[in-house]
Amino acid sequence: MAKEIWKPGNMLYPLPVVMVSMADKNGKSNIITIAWAGTICTNPPMVSISVRPERYSYQILKETKEFVINLTTKDLVFATDYCGVKSGRDVDKFKDLGLTPIPAQQLKAPMIAESPVNIECRVREIIPLGSHDMFMADVVAVHADEKYMDEKRKFHLEKAEPIVYSHGAYLACGEQLGTFGYSVKKK
């Protein structure tokens, strides 16, 4: 099988695409769409987001050192794209999109009510990397929408129809193909 060689680049796709909400020191809220986001540690629970320094949200994140990661869904795909291409300098994204800001438990940053999962994060370290700076953060609280929980309190994110980002496109997540450990499970 022949393979074409490309210049080095970020081809780790698909990626989670999330809406990150925050509020500046004066309480003005903003949302930025981030595809450079991920889990970096289980214990303590930590995540990272990477943001270009020229983005409007960058200064807010740097000053307040807090944000909320809001998971995205098929119903939020338009808002997800809008929050990635419109600047909070120019528009009120919550208002323009009809999204509902709700108070977080540990932070001043608002959560997005329409998101099935909201992850409150407090920045531990900012690492300059080049085009982006990485905000390493501790997870201080997680909120899960009860409408996706079954009678045994198991959370079913798949019912929210989560989306991912791949090479310029938003994609719906597909069918379950297995569960952790199924390849070695005794029959």
Side-chain angles (χ1 to χ4, degrees):
M1 173 186 325
K3 296 210 179 205
E4 191 174 312
I5 298 173
W6 292 353
K7 68 176 183 165
N10 296 320
M11 290 299 297
L12 185 61
Y13 289 114
L15 298 165
V17 58
V18 298
M19 292 191 294
V20 174
S21 53
M22 66 206 68
D24 67 17
K25 296 265 186 197
N26 298 318
K28 181 183 175 196
S29 298
N30 189 46
I31 307 167
I32 183 175
T33 297
I34 301 280
W36 307 123
T39 299
I40 55 176
C41 191
T42 301
N43 192 13
M46 292 179 68
V47 295
S48 71
I49 61 171
S50 293
V51 181
R52 290 180 181 270
E54 61 269 17
R55 296 292 298 261
Y56 173 71
S57 299
Y58 181 89
Q59 276 309 111
I60 298 171
L61 293 166
K62 193 171 179 182
E63 287 176 8
T64 64
K65 294 191 173 32
E66 63 178 44
F67 57 89
V68 178
I69 293 175
N70 304 275
L71 298 191
T72 56
T73 65
K74 193 173 176 182
D75 287 343
L76 291 170
V77 69
F78 181 88
T80 301
D81 185 64
Y82 185 91
C83 290
V85 297
K86 289 289 194 174
S87 174
R89 281 184 196 95
D90 307 320
V91 297
D92 179 336
K93 296 176 193 180
F94 275 102
K95 182 180 171 195
D96 285 5
L97 295 165
L99 295 174
T100 311
I102 56 175
Q105 181 185 42
Q106 303 286 324
L107 310 175
K108 291 180 182 164
M111 301 187 307
I112 300 172
E114 292 77 8
S115 173
V117 177
N118 316 92
I119 305 165
E120 295 185 48
C121 305
R122 189 164 286 120
V123 175
R124 176 187 284 212
E125 186 176 352
I126 303 169
I127 303 170
L129 298 173
S131 63
H132 292 69
D133 287 359
M134 180 191 296
F135 290 78
M136 290 178 43
D138 293 300
V139 173
V140 296
V142 177
H143 306 260
D145 193 325
E146 290 183 351
K147 74 180 174 183
Y148 301 112
M149 292 194 196
D150 65 21
E151 60 283 347
K152 294 180 181 176
R153 307 302 299 155
K154 180 178 179 188
F155 188 73
H156 294 276
L157 182 61
E158 72 280 2
K159 291 183 179 180
E161 299 182 283
I163 59 172
V164 294
Y165 180 81
S166 183
H167 215 66
Y170 304 101
L171 305 171
C173 292
E175 65 185 288
Q176 179 177 312
L177 303 175
T179 58
F180 180 76
Y182 86 100
S183 64
V184 296
K185 189 175 183 180
K186 297 199 189 265
K187 296 178 183 176

